[in-house]
């Protein structure tokens, strides 16, 4: 480790994709830093993030259990890495390269995501690598690629939203998930689409806008009804459609069957509200449609996002100055994490792994034969479901993900992890998945490492080291490089800038082209949004101003129709459970549940229930309830919420064990993105 020179480092929050600017000093004290995304603000998660640096539960030594029944015991790094390498080699020798799997994360830096993908394909020779971005962004990514030919969450800087007149937030609760973003929406009339009356929905009402409460799993119908209203009420932007798009006629053929009153019967949103929102969007001069997990986490999430894109295109929003369509990325590096090769079907630069030219380019950078690169592997949920099965992986390496809490059908995931010959987890704190591992590798946190992140607007940011990690802790890059060395494979640098230089070359010419971005440019303060193909290129803060990324330059409307949720309520399971996040916790909660100030606010799982629904189950506010689905049970404290739909319950997914909302969720997958249906599961409520 090199010496820390500056008294404090200009870095970014470890949590969400807004990547708020932070100062972190040598003692780990966090302060807000002026940065366009947050303008000097931080949410409670960001303010308290420093408390995890010297947390008493911090993992500071590798841990190893001799057998599945044995306790985890401390060992040295040499022992741990040699043990892992030897076991991986043995599994590989007995079952072949695909018997070893790798699971990454959307919180990993670009450098880690890149090196992990290379490690899987070159050092392990496995096709079995995927990451938790399948749980949060893959449907938005697929819909963006389909419509625009490129997937960048916001194709404009977040500050463009400052001047918006109308913003539709479809399935986004940003007042809780990324509060400083609300500062960019302050002047707009907001429309929030969410089954719950969230704080964001309250802001929408206060702004003179609307809160639309569709039945969970019917968002697509709502968008179809609004497209119908746009056409019939004369709001189509015919010139824009003719000049900049294709596919309207096919999309309209479906939407024509969903007049607002028919859509209302399915989604429950009043037809008059659909017409009102479309009129607002059509008549405002600066207007945006933004989607997030509420639209995406469905077994037909890609089509649902496409339905919102169709509406935005019909009204002429994408690529128009002061207007647009975007998706709000969740995880800190959710954008960069899906660009550099830890996704099962991708190589760096957002290159398809099945494209011969892409394989040749990346193999050239890696110094290997293109034919030696494996093909596409299983997606995250399918990968987890295959663990320990006769044709599935026998060993799994996990970096930065807590799948025992964050994956759907968590009870089944626990069984699959238990069936492995070897589970290795690199993590900062003893999260649920780390504690189930055979080998735990303690790694550095955000303020202890260098690297880059790519935020929700496609801007590449420098993560800077403010202090050294605790003694005994290594960076993820050092762990990957160390494992490669133990496996006798060269070409795995542990220095972040060296890895980034390689990433630049590997991404050159790809959709997500970082070739012109360097640490020097970023350290000089340049605001660089990809694509940035050359050192003299200024980057691309706004996409689509002239053309979309398809070969003909046009965006595609896609004919999409309603398909019911994969699991519908019935007599036995009469309610729809939907999951999401709360203000004080982040993702699986492995970090925020250990921050006293945050855990004190929401210390345990809860279930929001309409008072009438609770009463029917014999439950009252504050009671402990059992929420039961076909897959499992979650224990949660009842919160009676009169504004909630009586047919719907809501659980945050930040808790593990018997409080895990994902014990209930349905692993039904979108056929294109392979994203699970976190937002709809049929459940019943019981007294414990
Ligand atoms: Fe900003 Fe997100 Fe961190 Fe909150 S969690 S401070 S919104 S980056």
């Amino acid at each position: 480790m090199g010496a820390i020179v500056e008294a404090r480092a200009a870095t970014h929050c470890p949590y969400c994709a807004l990547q708020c600017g932070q100062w972190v000093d040598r003692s780990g004290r966090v302060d807000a830093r002026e940065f366009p995304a947050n303008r000097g603000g931080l949410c409670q998660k960001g303010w308290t993030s420093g408390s995890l640096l010297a947390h008493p539960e911090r993992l500071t030594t590798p841990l190893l259990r001799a057998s599945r029944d044995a306790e985890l015991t401390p060992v040295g790094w040499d022992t741990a890495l040699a043990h892992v390498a030897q076991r991986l080699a043995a599994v590989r020798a007995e079952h072949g390269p695909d018997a070893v799997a790798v699971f990454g994360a959307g919180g990993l830096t670009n450098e880690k995501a890149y090196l992990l993908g290379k490690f899987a394909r070159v050092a392990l020779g496995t096709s079995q690598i995927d990451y938790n971005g399948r749980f949060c962004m893959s449907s938005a990514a697929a819909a963006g690629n389909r419509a625009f030919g490129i997937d960048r969450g916001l194709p404009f800087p977040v500050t463009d939203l400052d001047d918006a007149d109308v913003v539709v937030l479809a399935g986004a609760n940003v007042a809780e998930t990324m509060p400083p973003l609300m500062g960019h929406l302050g002047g707009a009339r907001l429309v929030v689409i969410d089954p719950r009356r969230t704080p964001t929905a309250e802001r929408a009402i206060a702004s003179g806008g609307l809160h639309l409460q569709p039945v969970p799993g019917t968002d697509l119908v709502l968008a179809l009804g609004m497209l119908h209203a746009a056409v019939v009420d004369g709001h189509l932007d015919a010139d824009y459609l003719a000049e900049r798009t294709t596919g309207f006629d096919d999309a309209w053929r479906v939407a024509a069957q969903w007049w607002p009153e028919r859509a209302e019967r399915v989604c429950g949103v009043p037809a008059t509200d659909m017409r009102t929102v479309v009129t607002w969007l059509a008549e405002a001069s600066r207007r945006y449609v933004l989607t997030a997990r509420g639209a995406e986490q469905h077994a037909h999430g890609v089509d649902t996002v496409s339905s919102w894109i169709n509406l935005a295109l019909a009204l002429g929003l994408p690529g128009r100055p002061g207007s647009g369509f975007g998706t709000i990325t969740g995880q800190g590096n959710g954008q960069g994490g899906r660009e550099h090769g830890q996704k099962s079907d991708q190589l760096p630069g957002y290159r398809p792994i099945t494209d011969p030219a892409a394989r040749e380019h990346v193999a050239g950078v890696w110094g290997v034969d293109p034919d030696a690169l494996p093909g596409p592997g299983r997606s995250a949920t399918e990968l987890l479901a295959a663990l320990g099965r006769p044709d599935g992986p026998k060993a799994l390496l996990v970096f930065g993900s807590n799948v025992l809490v964050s994956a759907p059908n968590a009870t089944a995931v626990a069984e699959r992890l238990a069936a492995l010959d070897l589970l290795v987890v690199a993590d900062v704190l003893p999260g649920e998945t780390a504690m189930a591992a055979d080998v735990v590798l303690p790694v550095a946190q955000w303020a202890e490492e260098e690297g880059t992140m790519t935020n929700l607007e496609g801007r590449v940011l420098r993560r800077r080291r403010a202090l050294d990690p605790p003694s005994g802790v290594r960076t993820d890059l050092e762990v990957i490089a160390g494992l490669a060395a133990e496996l006798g494979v060269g070409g795995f640098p542990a220095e972040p800038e060296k890895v980034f230089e390689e990433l630049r070359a590997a991404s050159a010419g790809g959709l997500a082209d970082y070739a012109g971005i360097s640490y020097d440019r970023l350290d000089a303060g340049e605001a660089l949004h990809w694509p940035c193909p050359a050192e003299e290129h200024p980057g691309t803060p706004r996409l689509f101003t002239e053309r979309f990324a398809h070969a003909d330059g046009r965006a595609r409307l896609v004919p999409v129709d309603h398909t019911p949720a994969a699991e519908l309520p019935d007599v036995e399971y009469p309610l729809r459970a939907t999951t999401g996040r709360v203000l004080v916790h982040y993702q699986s909660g492995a970090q925020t549940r250990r921050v006293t100030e945050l855990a004190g606010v929401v210390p345990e799982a809860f279930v929001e229930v309409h008072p009438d629904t609770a009463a029917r189950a014999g439950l009252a506010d504050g009671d402990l309830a059992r929420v039961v689905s076909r897959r499992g049970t979650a224990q949660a404290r009842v919160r009676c919420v009169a504004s909630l739909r009586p047919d719907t319950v809501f659980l945050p997914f930040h808790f593990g064990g018997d409080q895990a909302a994902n014990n209930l969720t349905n692993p039904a997958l979108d056929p294109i993105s392979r994203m699970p249906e976190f937002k709809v599961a049929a459940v019943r409520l019981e007294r414990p």
Side-chain angles (χ1 to χ4, degrees):
M1 294 290 173
I4 307 295
V5 177
E6 300 292 333
R8 60 180 189 169
T11 191
H12 296 268
C13 175
Y15 298 121
C16 85
L18 197 57
Q19 285 293 287
C20 297
Q22 281 185 335
W23 293 111
V24 184
D25 71 16
R26 288 180 203 170
S27 65
R29 205 175 67 84
V30 166
D31 208 346
R33 182 169 68 86
E34 192 63 32
F35 186 69
N38 59 305
R39 295 209 184 98
L42 292 174
C43 78
Q44 295 166 38
K45 298 179 287 277
W47 276 116
T48 56
S49 53
S51 68
L52 292 172
L53 290 162
H55 194 278
E57 287 186 82
R58 186 80 194 266
L59 295 166
T60 55
T61 181
L63 304 170
L64 190 152
R65 69 175 101 236
S67 69
R68 267 294 150 97
D69 302 330
E71 294 288 310
L72 282 166
T73 53
V75 294
W77 274 100
D78 289 350
T79 302
L81 293 181
H83 177 84
V84 172
Q86 179 263 319
R87 295 286 304 276
L88 292 178
V91 167
R92 198 168 181 271
E94 188 177 352
H95 302 286
D98 278 356
V100 176
V102 177
F103 202 97
L108 301 179
T109 61
N110 291 319
E111 291 79 357
K112 296 178 193 179
Y114 167 82
L115 203 67
L116 196 60
K118 179 181 176 184
F119 176 76
R121 289 162 180 133
V122 174
L124 299 173
T126 181
S127 67
Q128 301 297 297
I129 174 168
D130 212 61
Y131 80 125
N132 63 15
R134 290 277 187 187
F135 303 155
C136 64
M137 277 303 290
S138 58
S139 287
N145 282 322
R146 189 158 78 167
F148 307 124
I150 200 166
D151 155 37
R152 206 181 86 189
L154 296 186
F156 45 79
V158 70
T159 45
D160 280 9
L161 296 169
D162 294 343
D163 300 321
D165 301 315
V166 175
V167 178
V168 172
L169 293 161
N173 181 16
V174 289
E176 292 202 86
T177 55
M178 47 178 67
L181 182 65
M182 294 302 288
H184 297 285
L185 304 174
R189 185 201 294 268
L190 301 180
V191 176
V192 167
I193 297 162
D194 197 310
R196 302 169 63 218
R197 179 70 57 90
T198 62
T200 318
E202 300 279 7
R203 288 281 294 272
I205 294 163
S207 76
L210 275 172
H211 172 212
L212 311 184
Q213 283 183 281
V215 176
T218 65
D219 312 50
L220 200 160
V221 174
L222 175 59
L224 287 168
M226 289 169 69
L227 179 56
H228 192 287
V231 174
V232 171
D233 296 350
H235 296 309
L236 277 194
D237 189 333
D239 292 343
Y240 174 96
L241 283 169
E243 289 164 17
R244 304 212 54 187
T245 74
T246 63
F248 173 76
D249 290 346
D250 289 340
W252 171 239
R253 212 164 286 131
V254 180
Q257 300 161 39
W258 288 98
W259 58 97
E261 284 72 16
R262 182 184 174 214
E264 176 181 343
R265 284 202 292 276
V266 175
C267 72
V269 174
T272 50
D273 287 352
M274 296 182 209
R275 294 194 174 93
T276 298
V277 173
V278 170
T279 303
W280 286 343
L281 275 174
E283 293 183 348
S285 57
R286 304 174 76 85
R287 54 257 161 85
Y288 293 84
V289 174
L290 306 176
T291 67
R293 304 306 83 72
E296 299 154 12
Q297 290 177 324
H298 298 282
H300 296 279
V302 178
D303 284 356
T304 304
V305 178
S306 288
S307 70
W308 291 110
I309 295 175
N310 286 350
L311 178 68
L313 289 169
L315 297 171
L317 275 54
R320 184 187 296 276
S323 295
F325 172 88
T327 63
I328 302 170
T329 305
Q331 293 192 78
N333 199 28
Q335 181 70 53
R338 64 184 188 269
E339 298 166 355
H340 299 300
Q342 62 174 335
K343 193 158 175 265
S344 68
D345 53 1
Q346 275 177 12
L347 291 171
Y350 221 121
R351 290 184 153 90
I353 201 167
T354 49
D355 174 7
R359 294 170 65 86
E360 191 171 334
H361 173 83
V362 174
V365 174
W366 289 350
V368 299
D369 181 347
D371 293 337
L373 293 179
R378 294 177 172 93
S379 73
T381 306
E382 291 160 298
L383 177 59
L384 294 172
L387 296 175
R389 299 201 188 276
D391 62 343
K394 308 293 184 288
L396 177 68
L397 307 179
V398 180
F399 285 80
S401 190
N402 190 10
V403 292
L404 274 177
V405 179
S406 61
N409 198 7
T411 313
V413 172
E415 288 169 10
R416 291 298 93 220
L417 293 185
L420 286 166
D421 293 350
L422 177 69
L423 174 62
V424 181
V425 176
D427 212 335
V428 172
L429 291 155
E432 285 79 358
T433 312
M435 288 301 91
D438 302 294
V439 183
V440 181
L441 303 173
V443 289
Q445 295 194 52
W446 93 109
E448 301 159 352
E449 62 181 12
E450 299 282 340
T452 61
M453 305 281 278
T454 304
N455 76 353
L456 77 171
E457 54 187 3
R459 178 172 172 177
V460 183
L461 312 170
R462 279 280 280 116
R463 174 178 276 194
R464 293 189 182 84
R465 191 156 132 247
L467 66 167
D468 289 335
S471 169
V473 166
R474 296 189 180 180
T475 67
D476 292 276
L477 293 181
E478 289 169 335
V479 171
I480 297 168
L483 282 174
E486 286 287 340
L487 290 164
V489 185
F492 287 86
E495 300 80 9
E497 190 167 3
K498 271 192 192 166
V499 177
F500 190 78
E501 288 300 305
E502 205 181 295
L503 179 159
R504 290 174 64 186
S507 76
L511 274 178
D513 192 334
Y514 282 45
I517 301 173
S518 66
Y519 276 28
D520 283 348
R521 291 186 74 182
L522 296 172
D523 288 344
E526 287 195 69
L528 297 174
H529 301 70
W530 69 261
C532 181
E535 294 243 3
E536 54 283 2
H537 192 285
T540 315
R542 289 177 190 81
L543 295 167
F544 314 147
T545 52
E546 305 290 327
R547 65 194 311 279
F548 295 97
H550 287 300
D552 61 3
R554 290 165 178 261
R556 308 273 187 271
L557 287 92
V558 180
V560 290
D561 204 350
H562 171 57
T563 306
E567 186 179 63
L568 294 173
D570 57 18
V571 174
E572 210 179 342
Y573 301 97
L575 301 168
R576 295 176 197 243
T578 190
T579 65
R581 289 169 49 187
V582 299
L583 174 65
V584 293
H585 288 301
Y586 179 71
Q587 307 297 49
S588 82
Q591 294 146 297
T592 51
R593 279 186 274 130
R594 290 180 164 83
V595 176
T596 309
E597 299 93 319
L598 304 179
V601 178
V602 183
E604 60 179 357
F606 63 86
V607 55
E608 288 185 357
V609 190
H610 189 278
D612 295 346
T613 310
R616 271 198 297 278
L619 292 161
D621 195 63
D623 286 352
L624 256 190
R626 274 163 50 91
V627 189
V628 184
S629 81
R630 286 185 178 81
R631 291 156 294 281
T633 300
Q635 192 133 293
R637 187 78 56 188
V638 172
R639 285 190 185 179
C640 285
V641 177
S643 60
L644 194 64
R645 299 181 57 91
D647 57 6
T648 299
V649 298
F650 166 83
L651 298 97
F653 70 90
H654 308 294
F655 299 89
D658 62 6
Q659 298 184 49
N662 277 320
N663 292 342
L664 309 170
T665 48
N666 188 352
L669 298 180
D670 183 282
I672 299 170
S673 68
R674 317 308 286 165
M675 181 182 229
E677 187 149 77
F678 289 109
K679 292 300 188 209
V680 192
V683 301
R684 67 170 177 263
L685 283 177
E686 292 178 353
R687 294 177 61 82

